[in-house]
């Protein structure tokens, strides 16, 4: 993300640095022009370049993976039990373990994984108890406040689906 006159790097994906003040100001003012990141070859980004898939492909994969159709029963249980709080001071917050994240909305648990590369952010998640699957693709890696865009949308969308959510606790 940058303006035509900005000398800032073209993307802030995969780095731990805030957007420069001029980009944040332009985003808040609604004058920031998007980058054209469609020229990129995703091959250097490991798994991102290994396969081309559709939203339906991602939904099929996350349902099979979380639903126990990929790993044997023992490994599946270990895998689903592995997520631990990312922030120990927030034991009910987002959890991560063995390559999968989890978030709870009251009694509902959504297992998910995200992805990013410069200019893009994604989310795929599945709640096996309620058979809810959500796929999100964005063409902005991080919002100006430094948050992953797909995960930010995920929480807001799931807040509309479930009657108990982390957002309602924060209100």
């Amino acid at each position: 993300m940058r303006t035509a006159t900005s000398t800032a790097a073209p993307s802030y994906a995969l780095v731990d640095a805030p957007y420069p003040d001029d980009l944040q100001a332009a985003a808040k003012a609604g004058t920031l022009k998007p980058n054209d990141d469609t020229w990129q070859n995703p091959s250097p980004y490991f798994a991102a370049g290994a396969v081309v898939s559709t939203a339906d492909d991602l939904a099929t994969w996350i349902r099979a993976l979380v639903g126990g159709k990929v790993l044997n029963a023992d490994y599946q249980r270990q895998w689903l039990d592995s997520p631990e709080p990312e922030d120990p001071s927030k034991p009910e917050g987002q959890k991560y373990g063995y390559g999968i994240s989890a978030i709870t909305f009251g009694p509902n648990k959504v297992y998910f994984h995200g992805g990013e590369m410069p200019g893009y952010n994604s989310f795929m998640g599945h709640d096996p108890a309620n058979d809810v699957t959500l796929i999100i693709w964005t063409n902005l890696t991080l919002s100006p406040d430094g948050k992953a865009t797909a995960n930010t949308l995920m929480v807001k969308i799931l807040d509309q689906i479930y009657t108990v959510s982390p957002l309602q606790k924060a209100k």
Side-chain angles (χ1 to χ4, degrees):
M1 226 167 124
R2 66 179 169 187
T3 60
T5 59
S6 174
T7 58
S11 177
Y12 287 84
L14 309 174
V15 297
D16 189 18
Y19 285 97
D21 291 341
D22 66 325
L23 292 183
Q24 290 186 42
K28 289 175 184 171
T31 59
L32 185 63
K33 304 287 187 217
N35 269 356
D36 178 1
D37 289 308
T38 59
W39 57 268
Q40 292 190 66
N41 179 346
S43 295
Y45 302 106
F46 307 104
V51 68
V52 175
S53 58
T54 66
D56 284 341
D57 293 339
L58 290 177
T60 298
W61 171 248
I62 195 70
R63 280 193 301 263
L65 186 60
V66 173
K69 302 211 185 305
V70 177
L71 304 172
N72 71 36
D74 183 45
Y75 284 128
Q76 182 73 11
R77 181 57 29 223
Q78 289 178 46
W79 184 66
L80 291 178
D81 289 344
S82 72
E84 295 182 3
E86 291 182 4
D87 181 347
S89 70
K90 298 177 184 173
E92 297 303 315
Q94 186 169 305
K95 298 175 178 165
Y96 182 80
Y98 294 166
I100 192 75
S101 294
I103 190 167
T104 56
F105 287 76
N108 309 296
K109 185 178 279 189
V110 177
Y111 294 93
F112 65 94
H113 199 283
E116 70 178 50
M117 59 180 279
Y120 305 95
N121 194 243
S122 65
F123 166 91
M124 63 177 177
H126 182 66
D127 168 356
N130 296 295
D131 195 26
V132 171
T133 303
L134 180 61
I135 306 299
I136 299 173
W137 289 345
T138 68
N139 60 355
L140 179 62
T141 310
L142 299 174
S143 61
D145 62 359
K147 295 180 180 170
T149 53
N151 280 10
T152 299
L153 287 172
M154 171 269 298
V155 174
K156 292 180 184 288
I157 291 168
L158 292 176
D159 182 55
Q160 299 299 309
I161 294 171
Y162 296 116
T163 57
V164 177
S165 85
L167 290 182
Q168 292 171 4
K169 291 177 188 175
K171 292 178 185 174

